[in-house]
């Protein structure tokens, strides 16, 4: 190739490529035009393309959300503050950051972390707004608080948190208060508003009647209800309102006040309604418990005659059958229909007949608590006479194989084992007691079985080295998902308010949900009602799951006033668990309790005893103060132990019945058969008290031990995941 030809050739090549590119460009344009013409002629293709792009975008978004949910760590109050701060700062999941902020706020009080966390439509945003508004109110930022309350009410009008907004904003707009009473009647905000409502010609005694129906135990409710009942002016409550007021007073134990509230109306003259039998039942129960036996019996018999098909008549029959030896004429006065279907009446007749026909009653009502009690009453009568054949026969009667609730089954197994041992069958007795020891938690009867088998020494009140560590956090497992979320985030008060206002009353009566209610009450400081509810549930629940069984057990032994109890225990050289056991039984850890006899405070001290122990005059307020009350109670217990040479059973019994009374009892069985000595205590209250104090103390000693065999870690994790949904 010549040099002169190269440029031409290169130029020719360039020219050639340029033409080629032009041809390709024309081809692309033509292709695009063809595609556009095809799209114009076939619009369906464009629609499909747009739908495809939208679908892919939706799938990508859904996948990302699922990935976040999958990676969402279930935060709980067990998390350390430092870890929560790391999650709050660096987590890519905004929901997780918000949950971390809520936990930080609940644990440290640092409300500032909740700023800008009220986004979205999730109910947790309502809680954030509520906390922000409360904080602004405390700081005196009135305008900001008002705006927050208004925002909360506008965005979440049906949430439990909106009740607080209606309460606050209702101070300027009374219509909001009326909405609150109507829409969220059981919320604490509604009860607070009702307690401050003075009677007026416009609304009458609306506040008092509202409290009677939804919160008779609310502070100040008793005075409001009594005042309404005593009014005979033109504003006086009508018959239906008086019925509600009477039931409210009766629920507080004031049966006489309830009857006075009904004025000249006899019970069968009140306007008939579905609530009337419940009113009669509450009044009758209050009268019986208050010592007005004759009048209470009349009310309950009238109820059973007038409403023989109503469930309240069965409860009336149960109350009239409750004494160990009831009056047979009262039982005969019940309607035949009520008598025939009542297990309580049948059990009472068996007791009166000395055990005759017990088998048929046990077979007909194997799942009725009154029949369970009958079995124990008959067995106890036999064991006091040491008729061990009868004891074994009675306690072996099991119409179905389902075990009794834990406390009752432990009692049955212990005495069955002892009767078998006394009859010479030591191997069968050993197996029965071993079953009790391995399958049931620490308590009075488990200790007796261990003592009989030689596995433990006699009971001693020497100071223990138990550090009493707090229990780990546990899921609530309510049927209400948002309540579970609030509990998991440490918002116990909000969880209680949401449960109280949002739970279906029928579901609330189920045993799992009653466990939830008891735990919530304890969490908000209502130990008196919470412990009583959990104890009653423990005596009725036959088949809880392993997790429910542990929750029910551990919840009954809260660690309250630990600092004060530990100080008194150290000072008097007593077991911390013993002082906790006594306070739990005496007052349910409620310092405001006063007994009918006048005993005061956590350790239920009589004023004269407290003054003698203190060596100085004390006011009731001083005696009620927790630290002093615990200190004096521990000192009194130490005096009793010194008097009885360290004997635990007589010391415990003396705390309840008095040392002079206990000194009059026979001590023949005290060392060789403490179980029989306790059963021979002539006072039923003291007999029960002695067992429960030992039961409580041993339970506190093994409070953190797992007595239920299945591995629970996976179950707990699944429960936490359910709470997240």
């Amino acid at each position: 190739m010549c040099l002169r030809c190269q440029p031409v050739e290169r130029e020719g090549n360039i020219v050639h490529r340029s033409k080629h590119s032009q041809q390709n460009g024309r081809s692309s344009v033509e292709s695009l035009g063809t595609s556009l013409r095809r799209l114009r002629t076939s619009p369906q293709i464009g629609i499909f393309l747009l739908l495809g792009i939208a679908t892919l975008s939706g799938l990508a978004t859904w996948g990302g959300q699922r990935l976040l949910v999958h990676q969402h760590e279930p935060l709980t109050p067990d998390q350390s503050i430092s870890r929560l701060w790391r999650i709050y700062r660096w987590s890519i999941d905004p929901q997780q950051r918000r949950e971390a902020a809520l936990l930080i706020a609940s644990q440290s009080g640092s409300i500032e972390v909740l700023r800008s966390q009220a986004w979205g439509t999730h109910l947790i945003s309502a809680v954030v707004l509520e906390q922000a508004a409360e904080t602004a109110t405390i700081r005196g930022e009135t305008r900001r608080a008002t705006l927050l309350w208004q925002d909360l009410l506008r965005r979440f009008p049906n949430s439990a948190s909106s009740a607080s907004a209606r309460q606050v904003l209702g101070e300027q707009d009374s219509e909001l208060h009326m909405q609150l009473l109507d829409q969220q009647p059981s919320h604490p905000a509604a009860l607070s508003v009702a307690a401050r409502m003075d009677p007026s010609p416009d609304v009458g005694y609306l506040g008092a009647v509202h409290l009677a129906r939804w919160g008779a135990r609310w502070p100040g409710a008793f005075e409001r209800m009594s005042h309404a009942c005593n009014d005979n002016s033109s504003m006086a409550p009508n018959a239906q309102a008086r019925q509600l007021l009477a039931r409210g007073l009766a629920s507080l134990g004031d049966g006489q006040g309830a009857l006075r509230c009904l004025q000249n109306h006899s019970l069968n003259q009140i306007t008939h309604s579905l609530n009337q039998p419940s009113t009669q039942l509450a009044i009758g129960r209050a009268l019986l418990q208050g010592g007005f036996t004759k009048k209470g019996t009349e009310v309950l018999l009238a109820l059973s005659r007038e409403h023989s098909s109503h469930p309240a008549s069965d409860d009336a029959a149960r109350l009239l059958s409750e004494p160990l030896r009831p009056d047979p004429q009262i039982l005969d006065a019940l309607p035949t229909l009520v008598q025939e279907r009542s297990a309580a009446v049948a059990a009472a007749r068996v007791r009166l007949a000395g055990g005759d026909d017990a088998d048929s009653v046990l077979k007909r009502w194997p799942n009725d608590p009154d029949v369970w009690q009958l079995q124990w009453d008959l067995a106890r009568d036999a064991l006091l006479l040491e008729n061990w054949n009868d004891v074994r026969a009675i306690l072996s009667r099991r119409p179905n194989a389902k075990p009794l609730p834990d406390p009752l089954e432990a009692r049955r197994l212990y005495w069955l084992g002892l009767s078998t041992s006394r009859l010479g069958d030591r191997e069968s007795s050993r197996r029965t007691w071993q079953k009790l020891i391995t399958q049931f938690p620490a308590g009075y009867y488990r200790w007796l079985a261990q003592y009989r088998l030689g596995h433990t020494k006699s009971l001693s009140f020497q100071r223990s080295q138990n550090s009493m560590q707090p229990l780990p956090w546990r899921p609530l497992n309510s049927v209400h998902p948002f309540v579970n979320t609030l509990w998991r985030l440490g918002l116990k008060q909000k969880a209680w308010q949401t449960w109280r206002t949002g739970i279906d009353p029928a579901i609330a009566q189920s045993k799992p949900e009653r466990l939830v209610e008891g735990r919530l009450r304890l969490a908000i400081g209502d130990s008196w009602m919470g412990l009583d509810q959990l104890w009653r549930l423990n005596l009725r629940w036959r088949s809880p799951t392993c997790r429910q069984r542990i929750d029910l057990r551990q919840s009954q032994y809260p660690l309250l006033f630990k600092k004060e109890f530990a100080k008194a225990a150290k000072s008097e050289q007593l077991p911390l668990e013993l002082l906790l056991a006594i306070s739990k039984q005496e007052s349910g850890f409620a310092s405001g309790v006063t007994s009918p006899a006048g005993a005061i405070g956590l350790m239920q001290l009589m004023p004269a005893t407290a003054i003698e122990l203190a060596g100085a005059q004390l006011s009731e307020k001083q005696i009620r103060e927790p630290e002093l009350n615990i200190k004096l109670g521990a000192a009194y217990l130490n005096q009793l132990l010194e008097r009885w040479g360290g004997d635990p059973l007589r010391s415990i019994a003396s705390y309840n019945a008095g040392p002079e009374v206990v000194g009059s009892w026979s001590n023949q069985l005290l060392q060789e058969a403490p179980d029989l000595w306790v059963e021979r205590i002539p006072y039923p209250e003291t007999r029960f008290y002695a067992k429960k104090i030992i039961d409580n103390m041993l339970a506190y000693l093994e409070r953190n031990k797992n007595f239920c065999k299945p591995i629970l870690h996976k179950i707990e994790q699944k429960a936490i995941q359910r709470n997240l949904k």
Side-chain angles (χ1 to χ4, degrees):
M1 182 179 299
C2 65
L3 293 176
R4 287 183 301 176
C5 295
Q6 287 179 358
V8 177
E9 187 174 351
R10 285 197 300 272
E11 185 179 349
N13 286 336
I14 292 172
V15 172
H16 174 74
R17 283 197 297 271
S18 176
K19 290 180 180 179
H20 181 71
S21 299
Q22 291 173 0
Q23 290 173 356
N24 285 341
R26 284 194 298 270
S27 177
S28 299
V29 172
E30 290 174 357
S31 298
L32 179 61
T34 302
S35 299
L36 291 173
R37 285 193 299 274
R38 288 177 179 174
L39 281 176
R40 285 196 297 269
T41 57
S42 302
Q44 295 88 346
I45 297 176
I47 294 173
F48 289 149
L49 285 172
L50 292 174
L51 288 175
I53 293 170
T55 302
L56 289 173
S57 299
L59 288 172
T61 303
W62 177 84
Q65 290 174 341
R66 297 302 301 171
L67 181 62
L68 282 176
V69 171
H70 179 71
Q71 293 180 343
H72 187 123
E73 179 186 2
L75 303 181
T76 71
D78 280 346
Q79 304 281 348
S80 68
I81 287 289
S82 59
R83 185 141 194 258
L84 291 172
W85 274 110
R86 286 198 301 272
I87 294 170
Y88 172 68
R89 289 190 180 104
W90 305 113
S91 175
I92 63 171
D93 183 356
Q95 178 65 16
Q96 191 176 49
R97 289 200 303 275
R98 177 157 64 183
E99 291 189 358
L102 285 163
L103 278 166
I104 291 170
S106 66
Q107 292 184 28
S108 68
S110 178
I111 303 297
E112 296 302 322
V113 296
L114 296 180
R115 285 190 177 274
S116 304
Q117 295 296 333
W119 49 267
T121 58
H122 195 284
L123 281 175
I124 204 70
S125 300
V127 175
V128 173
L129 283 170
E130 183 181 12
Q131 291 190 315
E134 290 171 349
T135 302
T137 301
I138 293 171
R139 293 176 176 176
E141 301 170 359
T142 308
R143 177 170 173 73
R144 181 169 182 270
T146 300
L147 292 174
L148 288 167
W149 288 125
Q150 291 172 344
D151 190 27
L152 167 57
L153 192 57
R154 177 181 58 80
R155 290 171 58 189
F156 303 97
N158 299 318
S159 68
S161 296
S162 68
S164 299
R166 289 188 175 91
Q167 179 186 12
V168 174
L169 298 176
E171 299 298 330
Q172 304 300 323
D173 182 359
S174 60
E175 182 59 32
L176 289 175
H177 278 174
M178 301 306 291
Q179 285 182 17
L180 175 59
L181 297 180
D182 181 56
Q183 297 177 21
Q184 296 156 305
S186 61
H187 193 283
L191 300 180
S192 178
V193 167
R196 293 189 293 110
M197 288 184 70
D198 293 323
S200 69
D202 293 335
V203 298
Y205 282 94
L206 177 62
V209 174
H210 187 93
L211 290 171
R213 184 174 182 183
W214 299 103
R217 296 185 181 276
W218 190 259
F222 180 80
E223 292 76 12
R224 289 282 182 179
M225 292 186 294
S226 298
H227 179 61
C229 284
N230 294 330
D231 189 354
N232 294 310
S233 69
S234 58
M235 291 192 305
N238 59 26
Q240 184 64 27
R242 286 186 178 278
Q243 184 185 154
L244 291 170
L245 291 165
R247 189 160 74 242
L249 290 173
S251 70
L252 297 177
D254 187 9
Q256 290 285 81
L259 283 179
R260 286 194 299 270
C261 190
L262 297 175
Q263 290 189 329
N264 297 326
H265 300 281
S266 65
L267 287 170
N268 58 0
Q269 289 176 330
I270 300 174
T271 304
H272 286 277
S273 70
L274 292 177
N275 290 327
Q276 185 190 351
S278 300
T279 304
Q280 291 179 260
L281 177 64
I283 293 174
R285 179 187 287 113
L287 289 169
L288 287 183
Q289 293 174 349
F292 302 97
T293 306
K294 182 179 178 181
K295 189 62 179 176
T297 299
E298 291 176 1
V299 171
L300 294 174
L301 285 175
L303 164 61
S304 67
R305 287 191 294 266
E306 297 159 13
H307 304 279
S308 59
S309 299
H310 195 281
S313 64
D314 295 328
D315 292 326
R318 183 173 292 108
L319 289 169
L320 295 172
S321 306
E322 212 166 52
L324 192 60
R325 296 287 183 268
D327 186 342
Q329 293 183 344
I330 293 176
L331 300 182
D332 292 339
L334 289 165
T336 303
L337 179 65
V338 175
Q339 291 186 49
E340 289 178 349
R341 70 169 184 257
S342 174
V345 173
R349 293 196 186 282
V350 170
R351 290 197 300 271
L352 290 171
D356 292 346
D357 203 30
D359 280 335
S360 63
V361 173
L362 288 170
K363 289 177 182 178
R364 181 177 176 187
W365 291 285
N367 299 315
D368 194 290
D370 290 299
V371 175
W372 303 343
Q373 184 61 42
L374 169 66
Q375 186 180 36
W376 167 241
D377 291 338
L378 297 176
R380 183 173 179 274
D381 287 344
L383 68 88
L384 289 177
L385 298 172
E386 299 194 31
N387 293 334
W388 300 110
N389 271 313
D390 289 349
V391 175
R392 182 173 64 176
I394 292 168
L395 295 178
S396 297
R397 294 170 181 161
R398 298 185 65 193
N400 59 19
K402 199 173 183 181
L404 297 172
D406 275 2
L408 308 185
E409 184 69 0
R411 181 180 65 186
R412 187 188 75 84
L413 289 173
Y414 175 73
W415 291 107
L416 180 61
L418 184 61
S419 64
T420 306
S421 175
R422 292 297 180 96
L423 293 171
D425 189 351
R426 300 295 178 84
E427 180 57 27
S428 178
S429 174
R430 186 194 66 79
R431 288 197 303 270
T432 301
W433 282 336
Q434 196 61 38
K435 179 181 178 181
L436 168 55
I437 292 168
T438 56
Q439 296 185 12
F440 290 83
Y444 175 70
Y445 288 108
R446 186 169 176 262
W447 168 73
L448 286 175
Q450 292 172 318
Y451 179 71
R452 289 285 183 179
L453 291 175
H455 295 175
T456 188
K457 298 178 181 179
S458 300
L459 195 66
S460 172
F461 284 168
Q462 294 180 351
R463 192 175 177 211
S464 71
Q465 301 301 315
N466 190 351
S467 61
M468 296 288 285
Q469 295 299 318
L471 294 169
W473 177 86
R474 306 182 311 281
L476 190 62
N477 295 325
S478 171
V479 298
H480 198 308
F482 189 53
V483 172
N484 293 330
T485 298
L486 294 171
W487 175 269
R488 180 172 57 79
L489 297 177
L491 301 169
K492 297 174 182 177
Q493 189 72 38
K494 307 302 182 189
W496 165 245
Q497 293 172 359
T498 303
W499 186 91
R500 186 178 172 93
T501 56
I503 195 71
D504 185 320
I507 296 176
Q509 294 305 309
S510 69
K511 289 181 172 62
E513 214 59 30
R514 284 163 64 191
L515 170 59
V516 168
E517 181 182 357
R519 293 177 66 190
L520 284 169
R521 285 186 179 276
L522 283 175
I524 64 168
D526 186 5
S527 59
W528 176 261
M529 291 289 290
L531 287 173
D532 182 70
Q533 182 167 330
L534 292 170
W535 171 66
R536 294 179 186 280
L537 178 61
N538 199 30
L539 294 175
R540 296 292 180 263
W541 202 349
R542 295 189 76 172
S543 56
T545 65
C546 187
R547 181 70 262 173
Q548 290 166 339
R549 201 174 165 217
I550 291 176
D551 285 344
L552 178 57
R553 172 72 176 182
Q554 292 182 337
S555 296
Q556 292 182 75
Y557 302 97
L559 198 54
L560 304 175
F561 301 99
K562 181 182 177 182
K563 180 180 176 181
E564 291 83 355
F565 280 113
K567 184 178 179 180
K570 183 178 181 181
S571 174
E572 298 293 336
Q573 290 298 298
L574 291 171
L576 169 62
E577 300 81 7
L578 175 60
L579 298 183
L580 289 165
I582 291 175
S583 182
K584 175 183 182 295
Q585 199 61 31
E586 290 283 356
S587 64
F589 298 108
S591 60
V593 171
T594 301
S595 76
I600 296 171
L602 292 171
M603 301 293 280
Q604 286 292 277
L605 296 172
M606 295 297 294
T609 303
I611 291 170
E612 181 183 348
L613 289 164
Q617 285 296 319
L618 297 172
S619 66
E620 179 180 327
K621 183 179 179 181
Q622 289 174 311
I623 298 173
R624 198 177 297 282
E625 196 276 320
E627 184 173 0
L628 179 60
N629 193 277
I630 294 168
K631 176 185 176 181
L632 296 177
Y636 180 53
L637 181 60
N638 227 346
Q639 285 186 7
L640 296 174
L641 284 164
E642 289 176 6
R643 174 167 182 161
W644 299 117
D647 177 62
L649 288 175
R650 282 184 293 181
S651 300
I652 292 172
S654 296
Y655 199 99
N656 178 260
E660 290 77 17
V661 172
V662 174
S664 67
W665 299 342
S666 171
N667 298 322
Q668 182 180 354
L669 296 171
L670 195 56
Q671 299 302 322
E672 61 185 49
D675 45 8
L676 290 174
W677 185 86
V678 171
E679 289 304 328
R680 292 185 188 279
I681 292 176
Y683 296 173
E685 179 187 334
T686 305
R687 184 168 64 244
F688 175 76
Y689 181 87
K691 297 177 189 178
K692 282 303 296 177
I693 295 301
I694 297 173
D695 205 58
N696 292 345
M697 188 185 76
L698 296 173
Y700 270 113
L701 279 166
E702 297 190 15
R703 180 169 172 263
N704 293 64
K705 285 190 177 180
N706 176 18
F707 63 90
C708 205
K709 296 299 181 183
I711 298 174
L712 296 173
H713 179 70
K714 292 183 179 179
I715 298 175
E716 289 180 344
Q717 292 303 314
K718 288 181 179 178
I720 291 172
Q721 292 298 335
R722 284 200 305 272
N723 291 344
L724 288 173
K725 293 180 181 179

